[in-house]
Every structure is written in C-alpha cells, then in structure tokens.
Amino acid sequence: MNIEEPKKPLNFIEEIIEKDLKNKKHNGKILTRFPPEPNGYLHIGHAKSICLNFGMAQKYGGKCNLRFDDTNPVKEDVEYVDSIKEDIHWLGFDWEDREFYASDYFNQLYEWAKLLIKKGVAYVDDHSADEVSATRGTPTLPGQESPFRKRSVEENLDLFEKMKNGDFPDGTKVLRAKIDMASPNMHMRDPVMYRIKHASHHRTGDVWCIYPMYDFAHGQSDFIEGITHSLCTLEFEVHRPLYDWFLDHIIDSPEVNRSRTHQFEFARLNLNYTVMSKRLLLQLVRDGHVNGWDDPRMPTISGLRRRGFTPEAIRDFADRVGVAKRENVIDVDFLEHCLREDLNKRAHRIMGVLNPLKVVIENYPEGETDELEAINNPEDDTMGTRNVPFSKVLYIEQEDFMEDPPKKFFRLAPGREVRLRYAYFITCKEVIKDKEGNISEIICTYDPASRGGNSPDGRKVKGTLHWVSAQHAVKAEVRLYDRLFVKEDPYEYKEGENFLSNLNPESLKTTEGYIEPSVKSAQPGDKFQFERLGYFCVDPDSTPDKLVINRTVTLKDSWAKMTNKS
RNA sequence: UGCCUCGUGGUGUAACUGGCAACACGUCUGACUCUGGAUCAGAAGAGUCCAGGUUCGAGCCCUGGCGAGGCAGCCA
C-alpha cells in the first residue's frame, strides 16, 4: 500500500476502503466494478469513473469487473458494447475474464422476484404506466396504494409467470415491490421491479419478454459478483435505501450479510464548454452537428482519442481532479494542461506552416539544397535528430511577419534579422505586394556563417521562426479544432432556444498546411508537435496520397495573450 | 412549505479528525532559452455561505437560517 513519505491525501472513497480493509470487512478483499449501460459511447465523465473503479482495485490489490447494465433491450446495442470495451482497454485498464452482463443474471433475478412475491413483499399491478404515475404522489405528497396491492401470493405467482410466458402485452402489468406509498423517498413508493417488453435483447434474444428495472438488477448483480464497494454518481444516492432493501429481502444469512456490498456515491465530472449527457451527445451525432461519436470535438473517449489525447493524460487528469461529493465544474483548460504536460515530454517535434508566406532568400544559390540537423525533442535527447531540407524559397507563418510591428513584436519585419530554427539568420530586405496591396512575398538575405542557427560573432536575435522549404514541403489538410460551445455553460440559453444555439460555428476550420518532409511516413494516430504551434496528430481519414492532420491543442502562447489584452 | 446530499482563494482538491487554511491549475512579476514552448524563482489571491452556541481555542462539534444539486421513467 502506501507507507511512503509524501503521502497524498486520501479521498473519501479511499478512506472508506482503508477503514474496511483494516476492519477486515470483506476479508481484506476489494472488488469494484464499472457498470456502463451499452446505449451510447463512453465520455470523459465515464473515464473518471473507470479510473476510480479500476484505480481503487489496483491501489488496494483488488480487481475490477466490467459489467454491462443491459436491462433495457430497446435502448441497447452491441455496437456500444464493442466501443465501450475498446475505450476501456485504450485507457489502459483490463478486466481480464471478468466481463459480465446484468442479463447473465436474468434467471437468478427472476427467482428472486418470485421469492419476494412469496414473502409477500412484491405484487403484480394491472395499472397502466399512467395510473402508476398518477398514484405515486409527488415529492411533497404521498402516493396511494394500488387496489392490486393485496393480491394473494398464489395469484401474484400465477400472474407473474404468465407475464414471463408472454401472455400479456407490453405495459399491461408490472411487478412491484410492496414497500411504502407514503415514503418521503419516491423510490420506496412500491417501485417497479419488472416490466413487460416484447423486445429482443442483444444477448438473450427472445428468451425473455419481461425485463428487470435497474433498481432490481444493479444491487443484486453487485451481490452476485461479490462487489465490495459499489461506486456510482450522486444521483443514485436516493436509490441506496432501495438497493439495500432488495438485498435485505434476498440475503438470509447473517454472515453473508455482514460483508455484503455497499453503494457509495461521488460527484460526477463536469467540464465547462462541454455537454456530457449521453442524450445530448447522441443528438449532436444524429443531427449531424458533429461527424460521429468520434468527432475530435466530442468529449467522448473515442473523440478525444482521435483528437490526439493520450490515455496517460486522461488518467492523470482523472487523478488530479479528485473525488468528492460536491458539485464541480472543471476547466477544459485543465484537461488540456494535463495533455500538454504529457505530450511535451513525448512528442516528436517537426516544423509545419499553416498560413504560408513566401520567403525568397536572395543570396542563396538557385537550385541548391542544404540538409540541416534538427533536434527531435529537446526534452529527451534519446529521441535523436533528423535532417530538414533548406532551399532558396521557403514558407514562414504569415503571423510571423509584420510590416509595421508594434514594440514587443520579436519576429520578422523590414530590416530586421531573425533566426530560422536550426537553419540560418535571415534579414528582411524587401516586401513585395500584389495589386490589392497584400503582402505576397518577402525578400531576405541569409548569413551563411550562421548555419545551424548561431552566428560566430555571437550576435543575438530576438526571434526564432519555424519554416519549411517550399519545394520539399508536404501538403496536408489540417483540421483546426476549437471548443464545441461558445458558452462556458452550454445549458445557459435564451427562452425558446436550446443548447444548440450555443454551438461554436468555428469549432472546426480546415486549412492547407505545408509540412517538413519527415511527416511522409507518419501513420494515423501518430502525434507530434509542430514547433511553436501546438500538438497535432494524423487523422484516420488520411490516405497514402493525402495526409489529414488534426490539431490536438495549441501550445501556450504568451504573445497571443498579450495581444488579446490590448 | 417533503426527503437526501453538499456549501473552503477564479477553478478543483486538502487540512494528521478541535490548534488561526495547504497543494495543483489559473493569474501577475522576474530569470533562462535556437519553440514568445518547456524549465526555474517569486508574488497576489480565501479567513472557510450567514447568525448564534460549546470550548482556552472551530473550516472541523451543536442549533437556526440561507444557498446549490438530486428525487415524481414500465430509463440507467
């Protein structure tokens, strides 16, 4: 465990686990589970839960199960099962052979339902959904008992079996727990345990036409698997009495009961400039506001992966935001900070120009090419060096030249000398404009003695620019992403509007970039830093003759910050 | 006029279970630099939602307010 000096403070879950471990509550065992419903793609909020559940298991020498909460066949699909498994593995976690489904337990659940009927604490209700709803009361008003509540055990057993056999159409009957229609906790007002759905299930096919509700499946699934700590988000807090109630009525052995599973709730992750609801994410996909679940602007795991995030960065993020019970909204900047920190250490550096400005080196021999050595990663010299070709015609970034520069502009301007990274010092001699007066190219001279980037006379230049040789550069489609929403809180909109009106119309801009030839061999998923610009990765849309590159995140830019202020 | 949970710098998370609030991110300085990146050094920023109470002493305990979130699917 952790007996070391720095001892990071424990979150409340860790405190509970350590206490339980000390008291040998579960015979010193820890077993958690990650229980997604396969009805959508996983997002960064799930990543927090995955990291927590697998992380606790790892930290305390336990295991973590993967269990699909597949109790509602009409919403679920294998497509989602597959994507969820892929995402969890990609994040770096493994459930080994412990891949379970709530549907694995349908038989057992059915038996337990009959047991509750026999105990007189469950009954078949003929009410329609509307009637059930109308008699449930409100949070401030008690509900009314159903007239079917006092059916005999025999009748209930018979009816329930007929429900199972498919004798009744959808919605005509439900099995309910007999608890307390006046309970201040709505979930205890005779909650529905089973409903009829003549729908085929992605795993059990047409074997069943009645399906258990979440509340009647989750706690028991935890119990069957021997989960010690069932971690979920805050909205399930009010379900806990019910979670316990079902178990109370199912477990008859005091010894088993002593170490049985317990639910603990933590606050879900929220990010600003982002929506996290599966329903809304689905809407974005279905209505074509983004290009699929893995659109790099989506907060889905698959979107982040395609955007160029690393699992390490996401895990670090999950670790650093912590776990507590209070509502929180985390700055997306912090997520990006964690990413930059990771990529800074590992990303191969190359040069690429996004908004090219032609530079002609007047005194450089026509047709000649020079190979200059460039460092692949200044943070890690084991990554070595590469050669970058230099020639008479180059591209630099438009923003790196100003005809009439302000005080603190360190880059190129008429008469000024700057360094081209790993290459030469150049001095701007002339600015050439087109008929409209736009700068079309600039003429410079270079100092051959500054080859490699330093001048023998020790003179200094204030600016260093990235560049690319025009004749050697590889063209690529570069996709520049920005946040999907313009508002910090996308749910804040005017009356009559919805969250879609907060979509950022400029969340994706595409441009043609010129990149140094070493990218030619890059494969989808490869990540690198374009010096001075940001981190980028190769998109799977790339083909052998067309490179598509995503901008993952920009570098911090203190010049931009300065100019934005004034 | 119900129940549950929560309320600590701008944002998160801590405070050895009562000893005058720490860490990270952000912000602002400065140093260094062949990425205006990275790195390094430093600063500002909360007196812990409010009001009482217990105590020598409270962010931690008690009482009462106020505020936020959750709960009325045959969704999970």
Side-chain angles (χ1 to χ4, degrees), chain A residues 275 280 283-284 485 490-491 493 497-503:
Chain A
V275 297
L280 299 185
Q283 189 181 343
L284 290 173
F485 293 92
Y491 298 103
Y493 42 76
E497 298 189 338
N498 60 39
F499 80 110
L500 294 173
S501 41
N502 289 326
L503 277 171

Side-chain angles (χ1 to χ4, degrees), chain A residues 143-169:
Chain A
Q144 298 120 47
E145 296 188 350
S146 164
F148 303 99
R149 204 176 197 256
K150 13 181 215 308
R151 283 217 250 239
S152 69
V153 168
E154 292 66 34
E155 188 183 5
N156 280 320
L157 246 18
D158 178 55
L159 255 17
F160 186 49
E161 186 171 347
K162 286 182 170 138
M163 278 170 66
K164 188 196 89 160
N165 292 341
D167 292 354
F168 308 116

Side-chain angles (χ1 to χ4, degrees), chain A residues 400-409 411-416 428 431 433 439 559:
Chain A
D400 285 341
F401 177 81
M402 280 186 103
E403 200 173 9
D404 186 18
K407 291 279 116 49
K408 298 235 176 140
F409 187 79
R411 285 110 97 147
L412 197 60
R416 203 182 275 183
C428 174
V431 180
K433 296 182 179 175
I439 298 169
W559 167 246

